Amino acid sequence: MEFNLANNLHSLRASAPLVHNITNYVVMNFTANALLAIGASPVMSHAAEEVEDMVSIAGALVVNIGTLSPEWVKGMKLAMRKAAQTGKPIILDPVGAGATPYRNAVLTELLETAAPAIIRGNASEIMALAGTNIQTKGVDSTASSADSMEAAKALSLKYGSVISVSGETDVIVSGTQTAFVSNGVLLMTKITGMGCTASALAGAFAAVSSDPFHAAVSAAAAMGVCGELAYRHAKLPGSFQIAFLDALADISPAHLAELSKVKFAF
């Protein structure tokens, strides 16, 4: 199936998919607003008592391990198992992978529960998840996306997942397919929750696409292009966040495709 970014955004807005997020306290508000802005419908639900019911009516499940607790992990596992049973795409954001033994153990449990359609993280997180010995800095990356290419390929083969690595150039790997997305601005690294938002948008695109590789590429392109558009109006972190949400809401499918810088390698 040929990649068509304009059609992918059009499909998202026409469907307004419900995206179930089990995500961290830090980013809940911003990612919910980003999903609304681009045209999706977010729900933030982590209680073990209801996650299975919520997954059943959602188009995709986004699991973000930013703020962990045993009860949240229980909800994540129940939701992932239900998503796998009902054929709903799972997007896993391994926030801070490699930072602590507990975080690593939780990721092992989650990946044993169900294979994600997309795993999206920064280079350090992807390398740590693949077993590379790398020094992490909390949730921040100490490596470039180019450094993580082999780790991304190994993870993709191991779990059958699309691996999306954020960086100056985003790298998306699915088996023998690789895409490079060169959009974005440096200021995006100075605002908390941008990576988490990229994972949420991947969930929105995955909910309306039969190809998780195309969904991951679409999300990376939308993030980067809207970051560039926001930077035209806002050069400081506070105002940039608002301008970014405005760009997500305002951009047309044709304009997104026109401004995207996506290259494929097979």
mmCIF file of all heavy atoms in Angstrom, residues 138-176:
data_model
loop_
_atom_site.group_PDB
_atom_site.id
_atom_site.type_symbol
_atom_site.label_atom_id
_atom_site.label_comp_id
_atom_site.label_asym_id
_atom_site.label_seq_id
_atom_site.Cartn_x
_atom_site.Cartn_y
_atom_site.Cartn_z
ATOM 1 N N GLY A 138 17.620 9.749 33.156
ATOM 2 C CA GLY A 138 16.195 9.824 33.471
ATOM 3 C C GLY A 138 15.371 9.469 32.254
ATOM 4 O O GLY A 138 15.492 8.375 31.700
ATOM 5 N N VAL A 139 14.546 10.422 31.804
ATOM 6 C CA VAL A 139 13.713 10.185 30.623
ATOM 7 C C VAL A 139 14.306 10.846 29.377
ATOM 8 O O VAL A 139 13.709 10.802 28.304
ATOM 9 C CB VAL A 139 12.266 10.693 30.842
ATOM 10 C CG1 VAL A 139 11.636 9.974 32.020
ATOM 11 C CG2 VAL A 139 12.238 12.208 31.049
ATOM 12 N N ASP A 140 15.475 11.472 29.523
ATOM 13 C CA ASP A 140 16.102 12.153 28.392
ATOM 14 C C ASP A 140 17.079 11.234 27.677
ATOM 15 O O ASP A 140 17.701 10.372 28.290
ATOM 16 C CB ASP A 140 16.845 13.415 28.857
ATOM 17 C CG ASP A 140 15.900 14.468 29.416
ATOM 18 O OD1 ASP A 140 14.771 14.555 28.910
ATOM 19 O OD2 ASP A 140 16.297 15.176 30.355
ATOM 20 N N SER A 141 17.227 11.443 26.381
ATOM 21 C CA SER A 141 18.108 10.603 25.575
ATOM 22 C C SER A 141 19.546 11.088 25.668
ATOM 23 O O SER A 141 19.825 12.289 25.694
ATOM 24 C CB SER A 141 17.666 10.610 24.111
ATOM 25 O OG SER A 141 18.473 9.733 23.362
ATOM 26 N N THR A 142 20.483 10.127 25.711
ATOM 27 C CA THR A 142 21.906 10.447 25.652
ATOM 28 C C THR A 142 22.510 9.962 24.342
ATOM 29 O O THR A 142 23.716 9.978 24.173
ATOM 30 C CB THR A 142 22.655 9.801 26.832
ATOM 31 O OG1 THR A 142 22.460 8.375 26.783
ATOM 32 C CG2 THR A 142 22.146 10.320 28.166
ATOM 33 N N ALA A 143 21.661 9.510 23.416
ATOM 34 C CA ALA A 143 22.127 9.003 22.128
ATOM 35 C C ALA A 143 21.288 9.613 21.017
ATOM 36 O O ALA A 143 20.215 10.171 21.259
ATOM 37 C CB ALA A 143 22.037 7.475 22.087
ATOM 38 N N SER A 144 21.768 9.491 19.787
ATOM 39 C CA SER A 144 21.028 10.003 18.633
ATOM 40 C C SER A 144 20.207 8.883 18.009
ATOM 41 O O SER A 144 20.474 7.691 18.233
ATOM 42 C CB SER A 144 21.988 10.577 17.594
ATOM 43 O OG SER A 144 22.704 9.533 16.956
ATOM 44 N N SER A 145 19.235 9.270 17.211
ATOM 45 C CA SER A 145 18.406 8.259 16.550
ATOM 46 C C SER A 145 19.249 7.381 15.627
ATOM 47 O O SER A 145 18.981 6.188 15.478
ATOM 48 C CB SER A 145 17.268 8.937 15.770
ATOM 49 O OG SER A 145 17.772 9.907 14.873
ATOM 50 N N ALA A 146 20.292 7.961 15.021
ATOM 51 C CA ALA A 146 21.163 7.172 14.141
ATOM 52 C C ALA A 146 21.892 6.084 14.922
ATOM 53 O O ALA A 146 22.121 4.980 14.403
ATOM 54 C CB ALA A 146 22.169 8.094 13.452
ATOM 55 N N ASP A 147 22.237 6.385 16.185
ATOM 56 C CA ASP A 147 22.918 5.390 17.024
ATOM 57 C C ASP A 147 22.046 4.172 17.299
ATOM 58 O O ASP A 147 22.559 3.091 17.616
ATOM 59 C CB ASP A 147 23.319 6.009 18.367
ATOM 60 C CG ASP A 147 24.329 7.127 18.238
ATOM 61 O OD1 ASP A 147 25.111 7.104 17.271
ATOM 62 O OD2 ASP A 147 24.329 8.024 19.103
ATOM 63 N N SER A 148 20.737 4.349 17.214
ATOM 64 C CA SER A 148 19.802 3.306 17.637
ATOM 65 C C SER A 148 19.307 2.423 16.497
ATOM 66 O O SER A 148 18.441 1.569 16.710
ATOM 67 C CB SER A 148 18.590 3.951 18.315
ATOM 68 O OG SER A 148 17.821 4.674 17.358
ATOM 69 N N MET A 149 19.825 2.605 15.300
ATOM 70 C CA MET A 149 19.311 1.884 14.133
ATOM 71 C C MET A 149 19.340 0.371 14.328
ATOM 72 O O MET A 149 18.347 -0.325 14.075
ATOM 73 C CB MET A 149 20.107 2.260 12.892
ATOM 74 C CG MET A 149 19.798 3.638 12.351
ATOM 75 S SD MET A 149 18.254 3.685 11.404
ATOM 76 C CE MET A 149 18.686 2.694 9.986
ATOM 77 N N GLU A 150 20.470 -0.164 14.752
ATOM 78 C CA GLU A 150 20.579 -1.619 14.918
ATOM 79 C C GLU A 150 19.656 -2.118 16.021
ATOM 80 O O GLU A 150 19.049 -3.188 15.905
ATOM 81 C CB GLU A 150 22.034 -2.008 15.197
ATOM 82 C CG GLU A 150 22.973 -1.778 14.028
ATOM 83 C CD GLU A 150 22.481 -2.458 12.753
ATOM 84 O OE1 GLU A 150 22.087 -3.644 12.826
ATOM 85 O OE2 GLU A 150 22.463 -1.799 11.693
ATOM 86 N N ALA A 151 19.569 -1.361 17.110
ATOM 87 C CA ALA A 151 18.667 -1.734 18.201
ATOM 88 C C ALA A 151 17.220 -1.734 17.726
ATOM 89 O O ALA A 151 16.432 -2.635 18.065
ATOM 90 C CB ALA A 151 18.841 -0.775 19.373
ATOM 91 N N ALA A 152 16.839 -0.737 16.930
ATOM 92 C CA ALA A 152 15.474 -0.653 16.410
ATOM 93 C C ALA A 152 15.165 -1.842 15.514
ATOM 94 O O ALA A 152 14.076 -2.441 15.595
ATOM 95 C CB ALA A 152 15.285 0.656 15.654
ATOM 96 N N LYS A 153 16.105 -2.204 14.665
ATOM 97 C CA LYS A 153 15.898 -3.353 13.775
ATOM 98 C C LYS A 153 15.754 -4.639 14.572
ATOM 99 O O LYS A 153 14.900 -5.483 14.275
ATOM 100 C CB LYS A 153 17.067 -3.457 12.794
ATOM 101 C CG LYS A 153 17.097 -2.353 11.753
ATOM 102 C CD LYS A 153 18.329 -2.476 10.853
ATOM 103 C CE LYS A 153 18.375 -1.346 9.827
ATOM 104 N NZ LYS A 153 19.598 -1.412 8.992
ATOM 105 N N ALA A 154 16.571 -4.795 15.608
ATOM 106 C CA ALA A 154 16.507 -6.002 16.435
ATOM 107 C C ALA A 154 15.166 -6.096 17.165
ATOM 108 O O ALA A 154 14.552 -7.172 17.235
ATOM 109 C CB ALA A 154 17.661 -6.004 17.442
ATOM 110 N N LEU A 155 14.704 -4.979 17.720
ATOM 111 C CA LEU A 155 13.405 -4.973 18.403
ATOM 112 C C LEU A 155 12.266 -5.267 17.445
ATOM 113 O O LEU A 155 11.324 -5.996 17.781
ATOM 114 C CB LEU A 155 13.171 -3.618 19.072
ATOM 115 C CG LEU A 155 13.849 -3.347 20.411
ATOM 116 C CD1 LEU A 155 13.545 -1.925 20.856
ATOM 117 C CD2 LEU A 155 13.385 -4.344 21.464
ATOM 118 N N SER A 156 12.333 -4.697 16.248
ATOM 119 C CA SER A 156 11.281 -4.924 15.261
ATOM 120 C C SER A 156 11.181 -6.396 14.901
ATOM 121 O O SER A 156 10.076 -6.963 14.800
ATOM 122 C CB SER A 156 11.543 -4.084 14.012
ATOM 123 O OG SER A 156 10.504 -4.254 13.070
ATOM 124 N N LEU A 157 12.311 -7.029 14.717
ATOM 125 C CA LEU A 157 12.315 -8.456 14.385
ATOM 126 C C LEU A 157 11.852 -9.307 15.563
ATOM 127 O O LEU A 157 11.131 -10.286 15.378
ATOM 128 C CB LEU A 157 13.719 -8.880 13.950
ATOM 129 C CG LEU A 157 14.197 -8.343 12.596
ATOM 130 C CD1 LEU A 157 15.660 -8.694 12.369
ATOM 131 C CD2 LEU A 157 13.335 -8.895 11.468
ATOM 132 N N LYS A 158 12.241 -8.926 16.771
ATOM 133 C CA LYS A 158 11.905 -9.723 17.957
ATOM 134 C C LYS A 158 10.406 -9.710 18.251
ATOM 135 O O LYS A 158 9.812 -10.748 18.559
ATOM 136 C CB LYS A 158 12.679 -9.207 19.170
ATOM 137 C CG LYS A 158 12.430 -10.012 20.441
ATOM 138 C CD LYS A 158 13.325 -9.538 21.579
ATOM 139 C CE LYS A 158 13.099 -10.377 22.834
ATOM 140 N NZ LYS A 158 13.993 -9.939 23.951
ATOM 141 N N TYR A 159 9.796 -8.530 18.165
ATOM 142 C CA TYR A 159 8.394 -8.414 18.567
ATOM 143 C C TYR A 159 7.424 -8.244 17.390
ATOM 144 O O TYR A 159 6.210 -8.223 17.605
ATOM 145 C CB TYR A 159 8.230 -7.226 19.525
ATOM 146 C CG TYR A 159 8.964 -7.426 20.833
ATOM 147 C CD1 TYR A 159 10.119 -6.699 21.122
ATOM 148 C CD2 TYR A 159 8.525 -8.357 21.758
ATOM 149 C CE1 TYR A 159 10.804 -6.890 22.321
ATOM 150 C CE2 TYR A 159 9.204 -8.563 22.951
ATOM 151 C CZ TYR A 159 10.347 -7.821 23.220
ATOM 152 O OH TYR A 159 11.028 -8.018 24.395
ATOM 153 N N GLY A 160 7.952 -8.107 16.179
ATOM 154 C CA GLY A 160 7.085 -7.866 15.036
ATOM 155 C C GLY A 160 6.446 -6.506 15.086
ATOM 156 O O GLY A 160 5.379 -6.278 14.491
ATOM 157 N N SER A 161 7.077 -5.572 15.782
ATOM 158 C CA SER A 161 6.535 -4.230 15.990
ATOM 159 C C SER A 161 7.221 -3.218 15.086
ATOM 160 O O SER A 161 8.366 -3.419 14.668
ATOM 161 C CB SER A 161 6.740 -3.792 17.451
ATOM 162 O OG SER A 161 6.207 -4.724 18.361
ATOM 163 N N VAL A 162 6.534 -2.134 14.833
ATOM 164 C CA VAL A 162 7.156 -0.967 14.220
ATOM 165 C C VAL A 162 7.881 -0.211 15.331
ATOM 166 O O VAL A 162 7.318 0.008 16.404
ATOM 167 C CB VAL A 162 6.107 -0.049 13.572
ATOM 168 C CG1 VAL A 162 6.761 1.228 13.049
ATOM 169 C CG2 VAL A 162 5.373 -0.778 12.462
ATOM 170 N N ILE A 163 9.123 0.169 15.087
ATOM 171 C CA ILE A 163 9.901 0.902 16.080
ATOM 172 C C ILE A 163 10.107 2.326 15.579
ATOM 173 O O ILE A 163 10.688 2.536 14.518
ATOM 174 C CB ILE A 163 11.273 0.239 16.343
ATOM 175 C CG1 ILE A 163 11.117 -1.273 16.581
ATOM 176 C CG2 ILE A 163 11.970 0.931 17.505
ATOM 177 C CD1 ILE A 163 10.247 -1.645 17.759
ATOM 178 N N SER A 164 9.623 3.291 16.341
ATOM 179 C CA SER A 164 9.729 4.705 15.968
ATOM 180 C C SER A 164 10.645 5.396 16.975
ATOM 181 O O SER A 164 10.360 5.431 18.170
ATOM 182 C CB SER A 164 8.345 5.360 15.970
ATOM 183 O OG SER A 164 8.427 6.717 15.596
ATOM 184 N N VAL A 165 11.749 5.943 16.452
ATOM 185 C CA VAL A 165 12.768 6.561 17.304
ATOM 186 C C VAL A 165 12.800 8.055 17.022
ATOM 187 O O VAL A 165 13.060 8.474 15.890
ATOM 188 C CB VAL A 165 14.162 5.964 17.045
ATOM 189 C CG1 VAL A 165 15.153 6.449 18.111
ATOM 190 C CG2 VAL A 165 14.123 4.441 17.009
ATOM 191 N N SER A 166 12.554 8.856 18.042
ATOM 192 C CA SER A 166 12.582 10.302 17.860
ATOM 193 C C SER A 166 14.005 10.826 17.960
ATOM 194 O O SER A 166 14.852 10.265 18.650
ATOM 195 C CB SER A 166 11.684 10.996 18.890
ATOM 196 O OG SER A 166 12.105 10.662 20.208
ATOM 197 N N GLY A 167 14.246 11.919 17.250
ATOM 198 C CA GLY A 167 15.562 12.541 17.263
ATOM 199 C C GLY A 167 15.580 13.702 16.297
ATOM 200 O O GLY A 167 14.541 14.126 15.795
ATOM 201 N N GLU A 168 16.767 14.241 16.037
ATOM 202 C CA GLU A 168 16.866 15.323 15.059
ATOM 203 C C GLU A 168 16.255 14.885 13.733
ATOM 204 O O GLU A 168 15.553 15.646 13.064
ATOM 205 C CB GLU A 168 18.321 15.727 14.867
ATOM 206 C CG GLU A 168 18.512 16.907 13.948
ATOM 207 C CD GLU A 168 19.954 17.353 13.853
ATOM 208 O OE1 GLU A 168 20.784 16.859 14.635
ATOM 209 O OE2 GLU A 168 20.257 18.214 12.996
ATOM 210 N N THR A 169 16.523 13.628 13.355
ATOM 211 C CA THR A 169 15.790 12.944 12.292
ATOM 212 C C THR A 169 15.121 11.740 12.916
ATOM 213 O O THR A 169 15.793 10.891 13.511
ATOM 214 C CB THR A 169 16.723 12.488 11.158
ATOM 215 O OG1 THR A 169 17.307 13.629 10.525
ATOM 216 C CG2 THR A 169 15.966 11.678 10.118
ATOM 217 N N ASP A 170 13.809 11.662 12.828
ATOM 218 C CA ASP A 170 13.101 10.496 13.359
ATOM 219 C C ASP A 170 13.353 9.306 12.446
ATOM 220 O O ASP A 170 13.356 9.437 11.213
ATOM 221 C CB ASP A 170 11.596 10.762 13.431
ATOM 222 C CG ASP A 170 11.246 11.831 14.455
ATOM 223 O OD1 ASP A 170 12.084 12.116 15.328
ATOM 224 O OD2 ASP A 170 10.140 12.392 14.371
ATOM 225 N N VAL A 171 13.558 8.146 13.059
ATOM 226 C CA VAL A 171 13.793 6.914 12.311
ATOM 227 C C VAL A 171 12.685 5.926 12.656
ATOM 228 O O VAL A 171 12.448 5.649 13.835
ATOM 229 C CB VAL A 171 15.170 6.306 12.641
ATOM 230 C CG1 VAL A 171 15.363 4.985 11.906
ATOM 231 C CG2 VAL A 171 16.284 7.280 12.296
ATOM 232 N N ILE A 172 12.007 5.412 11.641
ATOM 233 C CA ILE A 172 10.926 4.446 11.851
ATOM 234 C C ILE A 172 11.297 3.169 11.128
ATOM 235 O O ILE A 172 11.568 3.183 9.923
ATOM 236 C CB ILE A 172 9.574 4.996 11.343
ATOM 237 C CG1 ILE A 172 9.207 6.282 12.099
ATOM 238 C CG2 ILE A 172 8.471 3.958 11.551
ATOM 239 C CD1 ILE A 172 9.604 7.560 11.408
ATOM 240 N N VAL A 173 11.319 2.058 11.860
ATOM 241 C CA VAL A 173 11.773 0.776 11.326
ATOM 242 C C VAL A 173 10.669 -0.265 11.453
ATOM 243 O O VAL A 173 10.037 -0.389 12.505
ATOM 244 C CB VAL A 173 13.030 0.277 12.074
ATOM 245 C CG1 VAL A 173 13.436 -1.114 11.601
ATOM 246 C CG2 VAL A 173 14.182 1.255 11.892
ATOM 247 N N SER A 174 10.447 -1.002 10.370
ATOM 248 C CA SER A 174 9.513 -2.128 10.388
ATOM 249 C C SER A 174 10.091 -3.236 9.519
ATOM 250 O O SER A 174 9.978 -3.180 8.289
ATOM 251 C CB SER A 174 8.138 -1.706 9.868
ATOM 252 O OG SER A 174 7.246 -2.813 9.841
ATOM 253 N N GLY A 175 10.725 -4.219 10.154
ATOM 254 C CA GLY A 175 11.361 -5.286 9.382
ATOM 255 C C GLY A 175 12.450 -4.724 8.488
ATOM 256 O O GLY A 175 13.415 -4.119 8.955
ATOM 257 N N THR A 176 12.266 -4.878 7.182
ATOM 258 C CA THR A 176 13.258 -4.374 6.225
ATOM 259 C C THR A 176 12.938 -2.963 5.733
ATOM 260 O O THR A 176 13.680 -2.406 4.926
ATOM 261 C CB THR A 176 13.344 -5.316 5.006
ATOM 262 O OG1 THR A 176 12.054 -5.395 4.379
ATOM 263 C CG2 THR A 176 13.775 -6.709 5.434
#
